[in-house]
Amino acid sequence: SQLPGWSVRPDGSIVIATGNDDALGLYRCTPYNSYGTAGESRPTRVLLKDPPAFTVRPKEEYFQEVGRELVIPCVAHGDPPPTITWLKVGSVGKSSAQVDGNSSLVLHPLIKEQHGVWECTATNQVASVTTTTSVHVLGTSPHAVTNVSVLPLLLAANISWEPGFDGGYFQRFSVWYTPLARYPPRAHHDWVSLSVPAGAQHLLVENLQPDTSYQFSVLAQNKLGSGPFSQIVTSVPRGKGTPQNTHHVPKHSGGSCSHLAPASAFSPGFPVTTVPPEPPAMTVRVFLSPPRALTANETVRGVLLRWDPPARASVALSGYTLELRQDKGGWEVLERSIPGTDTQVLVPGLIKDAFYEFRLVAFAGSYISDPSNTVNVSTAGMEVYPSRTQLPELLPQPVLAGVIGGICFLSVAVIFSTMAACIMNRRRAARVRKRRQ
């Protein structure tokens, strides 16, 4: 018998519009004509399988500091159970993503290159389903601007772009350009930079030479430094009777900065280069390596942490920030302003029978280093320390001087009091002897 939604095609195929429990079972096909039939076909079994469906989806956006850990959940069910895979959209080759036993994406430590859109895909024999999330990595230099466009005008050009992610800080832009003369006086080109007003995403570059090829690039900067240069766009400003022409050149894959080759080395037409301009003179690449050789030792007053200063620091060191986490939890700041001259810190107030991890970060002005090595401290069996934490030193020098001064004063006072008592006793004894005589 034929059920609702079922039909048979002229070629003998059966069509089940909606799969349900009625479709389960064994099926045989019997061909026949006016002479009869040769018999039934082999049986085939119809099974119902469920496509993957997400039970836990990642949030639309995640914001996390660079260097920390970010865990993004993604759970799906189906029949058969689906396989979960993660992929960064637009990534080339295998990504550095790690997936834990719960199919969650684990980014540790979080790096700038992991900023962007990530896809979670659940796949089984029936189908594949995908959901996406955006990861925003904070505390980095800006990302490159995109969709750079140049509109040639009369002796000018209007450059526009779309900003990239600002790294969590206010970013500003500058437009760099250079003419590409067919026979340049020197072997290398000089790039000219123009600052862009705050908040603007376009700039008019004027006083250009007509019928001369120019290359344009846009640079983004924030307080942590410069991002990579944008793709290079080559264009010719219009003179009288010159048609509009714009030429795009792909961005250099490595993003390194070096001199441009002479235009005479290329064939007639637009000179082609994939090398971005030199970084601006005002941008100083700050080298601030992390603190070194962090160690932990148990003392009678608490855990004493010692370290060596950063090996490289192109600017004056401002200080350190001490971070800890307990029992594999999240990292927390324990002390934000350890002086840059210090190389040790005392940490009392730890909880007994707990597991701690410590790491140190150096900072110089607005620049922050990567974290130091991590040291582990277990308080199992250790004495319970006072709860009040005094981090800067074992004992601050002013307090130490006051304690020593007080001890000296009390000592002198005791000596003088003893001497005065002795003198008074002698005088009293002398008076008693005179009276008796």
Side-chain angles (χ1 to χ4, degrees), residues 16 22 41 71 88 96 99 115 122 131 143 151 155 164 170 193 196 208 249 251 278 294 299 318 345 357 391 426:
I16 303 175
D22 293 334
S41 67
V71 179
K88 186 176 183 293
S96 58
V99 180
H115 171 93
T131 184
H143 291 251
L151 176 63
L155 306 181
F170 174 78
S193 65
V196 178
L208 302 179
V249 179
K251 182 181 71 172
E278 294 285 348
L294 179 63
T299 70
S318 301
V345 65
E357 295 175 84
L391 288 174
R426 287 181 181 179

Short mmCIF file of all heavy atoms in Angstrom, two decimals, residues 16 22 41 71 88 96 99 115 122 131 143 151 155 164 170 193 196 208 249 251 278 294 299 318 345 357 391 426:
data_model
loop_
_atom_site.label_atom_id
_atom_site.label_comp_id
_atom_site.label_asym_id
_atom_site.label_seq_id
_atom_site.Cartn_x
_atom_site.Cartn_y
_atom_site.Cartn_z
N ILE A 16 10.07 8.89 -1.25
CA ILE A 16 9.49 9.10 0.08
C ILE A 16 9.72 10.57 0.42
O ILE A 16 10.86 10.99 0.70
CB ILE A 16 10.14 8.18 1.12
CG1 ILE A 16 9.98 6.72 0.69
CG2 ILE A 16 9.54 8.40 2.49
CD1 ILE A 16 10.70 5.74 1.59
N ASP A 22 7.54 5.31 9.41
CA ASP A 22 6.82 4.49 8.43
C ASP A 22 7.75 4.00 7.32
O ASP A 22 7.45 3.01 6.65
CB ASP A 22 5.68 5.29 7.80
CG ASP A 22 4.60 5.60 8.83
OD1 ASP A 22 4.47 4.84 9.81
OD2 ASP A 22 3.89 6.62 8.66
N SER A 41 14.05 -8.43 -6.52
CA SER A 41 15.42 -7.96 -6.36
C SER A 41 15.94 -8.34 -4.98
O SER A 41 15.18 -8.84 -4.13
CB SER A 41 15.48 -6.45 -6.52
OG SER A 41 14.80 -5.81 -5.45
N VAL A 71 38.71 29.96 25.36
CA VAL A 71 38.06 28.68 25.08
C VAL A 71 36.67 28.97 24.54
O VAL A 71 35.87 29.65 25.18
CB VAL A 71 37.97 27.80 26.34
CG1 VAL A 71 37.27 26.49 26.02
CG2 VAL A 71 39.37 27.54 26.90
N LYS A 88 39.81 28.67 10.83
CA LYS A 88 39.79 30.13 10.73
C LYS A 88 39.52 30.53 9.29
O LYS A 88 40.20 30.09 8.36
CB LYS A 88 41.11 30.73 11.20
CG LYS A 88 41.11 32.26 11.25
CD LYS A 88 42.42 32.76 11.83
CE LYS A 88 42.38 34.29 11.96
NZ LYS A 88 42.36 34.95 10.63
N SER A 96 46.59 26.97 13.79
CA SER A 96 47.17 26.54 15.07
C SER A 96 46.09 26.23 16.10
O SER A 96 46.36 26.25 17.28
CB SER A 96 48.10 27.63 15.61
OG SER A 96 47.40 28.86 15.77
N VAL A 99 41.68 21.64 19.79
CA VAL A 99 40.33 21.28 20.19
C VAL A 99 40.43 20.33 21.37
O VAL A 99 41.16 19.33 21.32
CB VAL A 99 39.55 20.63 19.03
CG1 VAL A 99 38.14 20.27 19.47
CG2 VAL A 99 39.50 21.57 17.83
N HIS A 115 43.13 36.54 15.40
CA HIS A 115 42.00 37.45 15.27
C HIS A 115 41.26 37.17 13.96
O HIS A 115 41.87 36.94 12.92
CB HIS A 115 42.51 38.89 15.28
CG HIS A 115 41.47 39.90 14.96
ND1 HIS A 115 40.72 40.55 15.91
CD2 HIS A 115 41.03 40.39 13.76
CE1 HIS A 115 39.89 41.38 15.33
NE2 HIS A 115 40.05 41.30 14.03
N ALA A 122 30.12 20.74 12.10
CA ALA A 122 29.74 19.41 12.58
C ALA A 122 29.35 18.55 11.36
O ALA A 122 28.50 18.95 10.56
CB ALA A 122 28.57 19.50 13.56
N THR A 131 28.61 26.85 11.97
CA THR A 131 28.30 28.09 12.66
C THR A 131 29.59 28.88 12.83
O THR A 131 30.69 28.29 12.81
CB THR A 131 27.66 27.83 14.05
OG1 THR A 131 27.29 29.06 14.66
CG2 THR A 131 28.63 27.10 14.97
N HIS A 143 45.49 46.05 12.73
CA HIS A 143 45.52 45.20 11.54
C HIS A 143 45.52 46.08 10.29
O HIS A 143 45.15 47.25 10.33
CB HIS A 143 44.33 44.26 11.53
CG HIS A 143 44.40 43.21 12.60
ND1 HIS A 143 44.63 41.88 12.35
CD2 HIS A 143 44.27 43.30 13.96
CE1 HIS A 143 44.65 41.20 13.48
NE2 HIS A 143 44.42 42.04 14.47
N LEU A 151 40.92 57.14 -6.50
CA LEU A 151 40.15 57.79 -7.56
C LEU A 151 41.02 58.89 -8.17
O LEU A 151 41.29 59.91 -7.52
CB LEU A 151 38.86 58.39 -7.00
CG LEU A 151 38.01 59.18 -7.99
CD1 LEU A 151 37.52 58.29 -9.13
CD2 LEU A 151 36.83 59.85 -7.28
N LEU A 155 45.26 66.38 -11.33
CA LEU A 155 46.47 66.69 -10.55
C LEU A 155 46.31 66.29 -9.08
O LEU A 155 46.96 66.86 -8.20
CB LEU A 155 46.83 68.18 -10.66
CG LEU A 155 47.00 68.74 -12.07
CD1 LEU A 155 47.38 70.20 -12.01
CD2 LEU A 155 48.02 67.94 -12.85
N GLY A 164 40.99 48.27 9.46
CA GLY A 164 41.05 46.97 10.09
C GLY A 164 40.80 47.09 11.58
O GLY A 164 40.56 48.19 12.10
N PHE A 170 42.73 53.27 20.25
CA PHE A 170 42.45 54.24 19.19
C PHE A 170 43.55 54.17 18.13
O PHE A 170 44.73 54.15 18.45
CB PHE A 170 42.38 55.66 19.78
CG PHE A 170 42.24 56.73 18.73
CD1 PHE A 170 41.02 56.98 18.13
CD2 PHE A 170 43.34 57.48 18.34
CE1 PHE A 170 40.89 57.96 17.16
CE2 PHE A 170 43.23 58.46 17.38
CZ PHE A 170 41.99 58.70 16.79
N SER A 193 54.69 60.83 3.33
CA SER A 193 53.55 60.44 4.17
C SER A 193 52.72 61.67 4.50
O SER A 193 53.24 62.77 4.70
CB SER A 193 54.03 59.77 5.46
OG SER A 193 54.74 60.69 6.26
N VAL A 196 46.32 61.56 8.33
CA VAL A 196 44.88 61.58 8.07
C VAL A 196 44.18 62.14 9.30
O VAL A 196 44.49 61.73 10.42
CB VAL A 196 44.36 60.17 7.74
CG1 VAL A 196 42.86 60.19 7.50
CG2 VAL A 196 45.09 59.61 6.52
N LEU A 208 49.86 66.70 -7.48
CA LEU A 208 50.54 65.60 -8.15
C LEU A 208 50.85 65.97 -9.60
O LEU A 208 50.21 66.85 -10.19
CB LEU A 208 49.69 64.34 -8.09
CG LEU A 208 49.31 63.84 -6.69
CD1 LEU A 208 48.44 62.59 -6.79
CD2 LEU A 208 50.55 63.57 -5.86
N VAL A 249 47.70 46.60 -7.09
CA VAL A 249 48.80 45.64 -7.01
C VAL A 249 48.67 44.91 -5.69
O VAL A 249 48.46 45.55 -4.66
CB VAL A 249 50.17 46.37 -7.10
CG1 VAL A 249 51.30 45.37 -6.99
CG2 VAL A 249 50.26 47.14 -8.40
N LYS A 251 49.23 43.06 -2.12
CA LYS A 251 50.12 43.34 -1.00
C LYS A 251 51.20 42.27 -0.93
O LYS A 251 50.98 41.11 -1.22
CB LYS A 251 49.34 43.36 0.31
CG LYS A 251 50.17 43.69 1.53
CD LYS A 251 49.32 43.66 2.78
CE LYS A 251 48.95 42.26 3.12
NZ LYS A 251 48.29 42.15 4.42
N GLU A 278 58.87 51.97 3.35
CA GLU A 278 59.52 51.89 4.65
C GLU A 278 58.57 52.37 5.73
O GLU A 278 57.73 53.23 5.49
CB GLU A 278 60.78 52.77 4.65
CG GLU A 278 61.88 52.27 3.71
CD GLU A 278 62.60 51.07 4.28
OE1 GLU A 278 62.39 50.78 5.46
OE2 GLU A 278 63.34 50.42 3.53
N LEU A 294 62.40 33.38 36.10
CA LEU A 294 61.54 33.53 37.27
C LEU A 294 61.60 32.26 38.11
O LEU A 294 61.38 31.15 37.59
CB LEU A 294 60.10 33.83 36.83
CG LEU A 294 59.06 34.00 37.95
CD1 LEU A 294 59.40 35.20 38.81
CD2 LEU A 294 57.66 34.14 37.36
N THR A 299 59.84 30.61 52.00
CA THR A 299 60.50 31.21 53.14
C THR A 299 59.55 31.17 54.34
O THR A 299 58.39 30.78 54.21
CB THR A 299 60.92 32.67 52.85
OG1 THR A 299 59.74 33.49 52.77
CG2 THR A 299 61.69 32.77 51.54
N SER A 318 59.69 50.56 33.04
CA SER A 318 58.84 51.25 34.02
C SER A 318 58.56 50.38 35.24
O SER A 318 58.51 50.87 36.36
CB SER A 318 57.52 51.67 33.38
OG SER A 318 57.75 52.53 32.28
N VAL A 345 60.10 39.66 44.86
CA VAL A 345 58.86 40.07 45.49
C VAL A 345 58.40 38.95 46.42
O VAL A 345 58.57 37.76 46.13
CB VAL A 345 57.77 40.39 44.44
CG1 VAL A 345 57.38 39.17 43.66
CG2 VAL A 345 56.54 41.00 45.08
N GLU A 357 50.12 29.19 40.16
CA GLU A 357 51.05 29.48 39.07
C GLU A 357 51.29 30.98 39.03
O GLU A 357 50.34 31.77 39.15
CB GLU A 357 50.50 29.00 37.72
CG GLU A 357 50.34 27.49 37.63
CD GLU A 357 49.68 27.08 36.32
OE1 GLU A 357 50.39 26.97 35.31
OE2 GLU A 357 48.45 26.92 36.32
N LEU A 391 53.92 43.34 48.70
CA LEU A 391 54.63 42.85 47.53
C LEU A 391 55.92 43.58 47.18
O LEU A 391 56.86 42.94 46.78
CB LEU A 391 53.69 42.90 46.31
CG LEU A 391 52.60 41.84 46.36
CD1 LEU A 391 51.66 42.06 45.21
CD2 LEU A 391 53.20 40.47 46.29
N ARG A 426 73.31 54.54 94.50
CA ARG A 426 74.57 54.82 95.20
C ARG A 426 74.43 56.04 96.10
O ARG A 426 74.91 56.05 97.25
CB ARG A 426 75.69 55.03 94.19
CG ARG A 426 76.12 53.73 93.50
CD ARG A 426 77.24 54.01 92.53
NE ARG A 426 77.64 52.76 91.86
CZ ARG A 426 78.59 52.71 90.93
NH1 ARG A 426 79.21 53.84 90.56
NH2 ARG A 426 78.91 51.56 90.36
#
